[in-house]
Amino acid sequence: MTVHDMAHVELYTSHAPSTIDYFVSGMGFTRVADRVEADRSSILLRQGETRLIVTSGRGIWKFLDRHGDGIADIALTCDDVTKTRDAAVAAGAESFAPAHGNPVVSAFGGVTHTLLPRPSHPDAWPPGRPWDTAPQGQEQGQELGQAPVGVAAGRIRSLDHIAVCVEGSALKNYADYYGAAFGMSRYSSEYVAVGDQAMDSIVVRSESGRVTFTLVAPDPTKSPGQLDAFLDRNGGPGVQHLAFLVDEIIPAVRELRDQGVEFLSTPGTYYDMLADRFTGTRERIEELRATQILADRDEWGYLLQLFSRSPYERNTLFFELIQRRGSRGFGSANIRALYEAVERDRLAAG
């Protein structure tokens, strides 16, 4: 009952054309297949190892009314889908009608997990729904997964992790659920206080290392903050952001900015403070300052990261670019460093 990989993530949207344009024209994904069903239509996008399904139509309006545009399903490949479904149900999950023959169980909020068998070889796609318009080299109507498909070119290599925002009182319960249902272990945990607000987090990861969820939650004993606001706007727990792994983040950020992707801005004082944490790398820090990229390090190495602005009306789901040079962490020091930098600017202005 162990999960091995994330086969794809499915995003429900109220306006498919603008969503597709954001990922294709802005982030460099390639449109590889389409599927029209009775109450919805889906478009499959790919970049590197990342597969993203964008779905719209009347069949998903209940989700959109409650949560707005966002991730509705995270498909997981499993060693044994039946045993994994049974373990999830035993751990408290709800089991839904199969999707194209594959079991579906509840995850958090309105999000589900479709359970798929592992592919027969690394380049094959796991079986899923049949697609009406197939990529080059596949016959129309053939299920993706029955033949290898080339990796689309682009800056994004894979899905590094998925950040999930849940209620503070339920954080440990969700971590326990992923252990009991999917054989995932607790990789790390961290508590970060920022002024009179605080965030608690637990990272759970599969034995394969290819499925990582960063579970984040507000501390209910502290003042409400950005995570409480997310839960309110999202109508409960949900995917806060998708973190895309890139080989070189500086050219990736420059390219995506030129293509219209908006990123969060970073105050200049952040980089003054960064020089104290990253000694002997002045030229590198100035390059990060020019691109607004954040940096963090741990005992294994360092990482560089930058977060996009949410392109959606409810300001919920957003995206991260992350480059790893040995680091196994998730940039938690940047939360405190950014807060302190903003506070220094506020005091200087006052």
Side-chain angles (χ1 to χ4, degrees):
M1 55 160 208
T2 57
V3 298
H4 179 74
D5 206 347
M6 289 183 279
H8 62 257
V9 292
E10 184 167 9
L11 188 154
Y12 283 1
T13 181
S14 57
H15 193 260
S18 60
T19 301
I20 296 298
D21 183 66
Y22 181 86
F23 285 109
V24 173
S25 300
M27 301 195 77
F29 278 80
T30 298
R31 181 171 177 165
V32 294
D34 298 68
R35 171 64 175 166
V36 177
E37 300 176 74
D39 63 350
R40 69 194 66 190
S41 60
S42 300
I43 296 167
L44 178 62
L45 308 176
R46 189 177 186 189
Q47 185 173 177
E49 298 176 3
T50 304
R51 303 174 188 95
L52 175 65
I53 296 173
V54 177
T55 296
S56 60
R58 60 181 174 82
I60 64 168
W61 281 108
K62 184 176 180 179
F63 178 96
L64 294 175
D65 285 344
R66 179 168 178 79
H67 307 288
D69 289 21
I71 302 302
D73 185 77
I74 303 167
L76 304 172
T77 61
C78 313
D79 293 325
D80 188 315
V81 294
T82 301
K83 288 184 177 179
T84 302
R85 179 202 59 200
D86 293 346
V89 171
E94 183 179 355
S95 180
F96 300 102
H100 304 281
N102 301 295
V104 180
V105 297
S106 58
F108 43 83
V111 182
T112 59
H113 289 307
T114 298
L115 307 178
L116 302 173
R118 290 178 62 178
S120 56
H121 57 85
D123 290 331
W125 289 15
R129 69 194 71 182
W131 295 87
D132 293 329
T133 303
Q136 185 176 3
Q138 285 190 300
E139 294 182 3
Q140 196 166 12
Q142 181 182 18
E143 280 199 356
L144 295 177
Q146 297 178 348
V149 178
V151 175
R155 293 289 184 182
I156 293 170
R157 180 146 57 94
S158 62
L159 192 55
D160 184 85
H161 64 274
I162 295 178
V164 177
C165 185
V166 301
E167 308 96 329
S169 58
L171 178 63
K172 292 180 174 57
N173 292 337
Y174 279 110
D176 291 342
Y177 167 70
Y178 276 98
F182 306 111
M184 300 175 71
S185 59
R186 297 192 185 197
Y187 178 75
S188 64
S189 62
E190 190 159 12
Y191 183 87
V192 178
V194 182
D196 60 352
Q197 305 168 15
M199 179 193 81
D200 208 357
S201 67
I202 299 174
V203 177
V204 294
R205 177 171 287 175
S206 65
E207 185 177 352
S208 67
R210 296 182 62 84
V211 182
T212 302
F213 296 131
T214 302
L215 307 174
V216 299
D219 183 340
T221 68
K222 300 290 186 178
S223 298
Q226 59 175 287
L227 297 184
D228 300 274
F230 174 91
L231 291 168
D232 182 60
R233 294 192 305 268
N234 193 66
V239 173
Q240 184 204 46
H241 70 265
L242 302 179
F244 297 121
L245 184 67
V246 297
D247 291 321
E248 297 291 340
I249 193 171
I250 291 176
V253 166
R254 287 172 173 160
E255 185 175 297
L256 267 60
R257 271 204 182 105
D258 289 343
Q259 293 166 180
V261 176
E262 295 185 3
F263 292 96
L264 297 179
S265 59
T266 308
T269 47
Y270 168 85
Y271 298 97
D272 299 335
M273 298 166 61
L274 189 64
D276 297 331
R277 292 196 289 136
F278 285 74
T279 58
T281 56
R282 171 62 61 182
E283 291 183 1
R284 183 66 165 173
I285 289 173
E286 290 308 309
E287 196 172 19
L288 298 180
R289 185 195 298 268
T291 50
Q292 304 277 283
I293 292 169
L294 310 175
D296 197 13
R297 68 175 9 152
D298 54 27
E299 58 266 42
W300 299 285
Y302 71 91
L303 63 81
L304 304 175
Q305 62 186 155
L306 188 58
F307 300 94
S308 78
R309 297 186 184 280
S310 176
Y312 305 107
E313 183 179 358
R314 292 200 192 183
N315 192 27
T316 48
L317 176 68
F318 58 94
F319 308 100
E320 174 187 356
L321 297 184
I322 183 169
Q323 174 188 333
R324 295 188 180 276
R325 287 295 182 265
S327 172
R328 303 177 189 177
F330 300 90
S332 58
N334 285 322
I335 299 171
R336 185 177 294 107
L338 271 172
Y339 176 85
E340 292 172 350
V342 171
E343 184 65 9
R344 282 176 59 179
D345 276 351
R346 187 187 69 82
L347 294 173

